[in-house]
Amino acid sequence: MPIIAIEEHWSMPDLTAALHALPHPDESLVFGEMDDNQERLEDLEAGRIAAMNAQGIDVSILALTPPATQSLPPGEALALSRAANDVAAAAVARNPARLRSMSTLPMSSPKDVPAELERAASMGHVGTMVYGRSGDLFLDDPVYDDFFGVASELGQPVFIHPQLPSRAVRDASYRGFDPMTELALATFGWGWHLDAATAALRLILRGTFDRHPDLQIVLGHWGETLLFWLDRADSISRTAGLQRSVSDCVRLNFHITVSGMLNPAHLHHALSVTAVDRLMFATDYPFQRPTKEEICSFLGHFPSETERQQFSSGNAASLFGIGL
């Protein structure tokens, strides 16, 4: 059974250096520097293919590791986004049977985003990965509506990845511990996921999917808590004056990936609120590294062979246009 993993991270030294040179570098950069993560992130050649082989993964969809270029000044963000898209496209061209890529966009320069998405799509990128906020601009700000229109027209899925919450949110909710505990609480332990879920919910409440009904969004980590709070979130629909409810948008415009969290309890809940054709596999490499045996064991929790195939590769192949 083929397996497509859709959230497999990479990085490039020029971008890492630019992010560290910012007056207030993103503290989550430390996660890419732990253990051998940096070496793995920068390897788009034999080492990455060997890791895929060990896990039984047939195709990886590359995505630049957070925070990507979104926290950079506009000019630098544009230059490094273009460079990243060129590097990723070249890696795919060298190994087209095993790799695909999502583009990186200069979200801090909204006027440049649609054109770079079009350029990246023309190079073969199969989707794009963004974050919920760029500086003080939320992803649902009207300045990004042209971007979502172009993504919809081009059939480019938009993956909303978690990012470090704003300084104000961190000060209000995630302080009072030692520095690493604060960072863990604000990132992988809690804050990342609420931040991404809020970005997705704001897009719905802004009427994005009323204007762009064919737009497709991907959320990691089992929907970043949104699937587990859908009944309550749905109650905002009428207040916001939506043409379609929150739950309707989630079920028709959102795809959910597991990000290496191979928990059968999450699977059973996801299947109770959305359909199996909305679920996809990912490892969140190199931050999560499930073994081939763990992956096979998890696949055994699907009710049928057809559903296992949909989850492991069929849904991703359809959404991202990947031939197997």
Side-chain angles (χ1 to χ4, degrees):
M1 178 189 306
I3 296 178
I4 299 175
I6 74 164
E7 185 189 357
E8 313 309 293
H9 291 295
W10 72 283
S11 67
M12 60 182 190
D14 288 353
L15 175 58
T16 302
L19 291 168
H20 277 295
L22 290 171
H24 301 287
D26 190 306
E27 292 171 60
S28 67
L29 287 167
V30 69
F31 300 133
E33 297 161 358
M34 290 179 171
D35 303 320
D36 63 347
N37 282 348
Q38 196 66 45
E39 178 183 353
R40 288 175 178 266
L41 286 166
E42 293 178 2
D43 184 357
L44 298 178
E45 305 296 340
R48 183 167 296 255
I49 301 302
M52 292 168 57
N53 290 341
Q55 293 176 297
I57 293 169
D58 296 276
V59 177
S60 283
I61 302 181
L62 305 172
L64 205 61
T65 197
T69 63
Q70 214 154 312
S71 57
L72 296 172
E76 197 170 14
L78 177 58
L80 284 168
S81 294
R82 290 176 65 90
N85 291 333
D86 291 345
V87 169
V92 172
R94 291 191 299 272
N95 213 325
R98 305 299 301 277
L99 300 178
R100 295 293 187 278
S101 60
M102 283 187 270
S103 63
T104 301
L105 299 176
M107 302 300 283
S108 61
S109 184
K111 65 182 179 62
D112 293 313
V113 171
E116 183 56 21
L117 178 62
E118 290 177 333
R119 189 184 82 93
S122 73
M123 298 166 63
H125 291 269
V126 297
T128 192
M129 179 175 281
V130 300
Y131 299 81
R133 175 182 38 80
S134 184
D136 294 328
L137 283 177
F138 289 107
L139 191 58
D140 62 284
D141 191 285
V143 298
Y144 292 123
D145 202 56
D146 286 347
F147 155 56
F148 288 115
V150 170
S152 180
E153 290 170 10
L154 295 176
Q156 289 271 296
V158 178
F159 195 126
I160 302 176
H161 194 278
Q163 69 183 141
L164 191 66
S166 70
R167 187 174 297 275
V169 171
R170 290 187 68 192
D171 288 344
S173 300
Y174 299 117
R175 300 298 187 190
F177 302 94
D178 65 88
M180 283 307 296
T181 301
E182 287 183 350
L183 183 60
L185 180 62
T187 56
F188 61 83
W190 192 254
W192 263 348
H193 312 297
L194 295 185
D195 198 78
T198 301
L201 186 55
R202 287 181 62 101
L203 273 184
I204 297 172
L205 299 178
R206 188 70 71 180
T208 306
F209 303 98
D210 293 341
R211 294 188 301 279
H212 309 294
D214 295 327
L215 176 67
Q216 298 297 306
I217 301 293
V218 183
L219 289 176
H221 307 99
W222 292 106
E224 308 293 1
T225 75
L226 192 53
L227 290 190
F228 300 93
W229 206 246
L230 192 55
D231 287 349
R232 295 290 282 184
D234 208 23
S235 64
I236 316 173
S237 305
R238 182 175 298 178
T239 304
L242 299 179
Q243 297 172 27
R244 298 163 53 204
S245 68
V246 170
S247 60
D248 184 58
C249 292
V250 168
R251 291 177 179 126
L252 295 178
N253 297 92
F254 282 73
H255 303 260
I256 308 300
T257 189
V258 303
S259 306
M261 299 169 61
L262 305 184
N263 187 330
H266 294 339
L267 170 63
H268 296 320
H269 180 77
L271 289 174
S272 76
V273 294
T274 192
V276 69
D277 63 2
R278 293 277 148 177
L279 304 181
M280 295 180 290
F281 179 75
T283 73
D284 202 5
Y285 180 88
F287 306 107
Q288 302 291 331
R289 305 177 195 175
T291 66
K292 185 175 184 178
E293 291 72 25
E294 289 169 335
I295 293 168
C296 289
S297 175
F298 178 74
L299 290 175
H301 289 278
F302 281 83
S304 71
E305 179 65 23
T306 297
E307 290 178 327
R308 280 191 288 276
Q309 189 278 329
Q310 285 181 278
F311 171 77
S312 65
S313 61
N315 296 336
S318 176
L319 180 64
F320 292 102
I322 299 172
L324 292 174

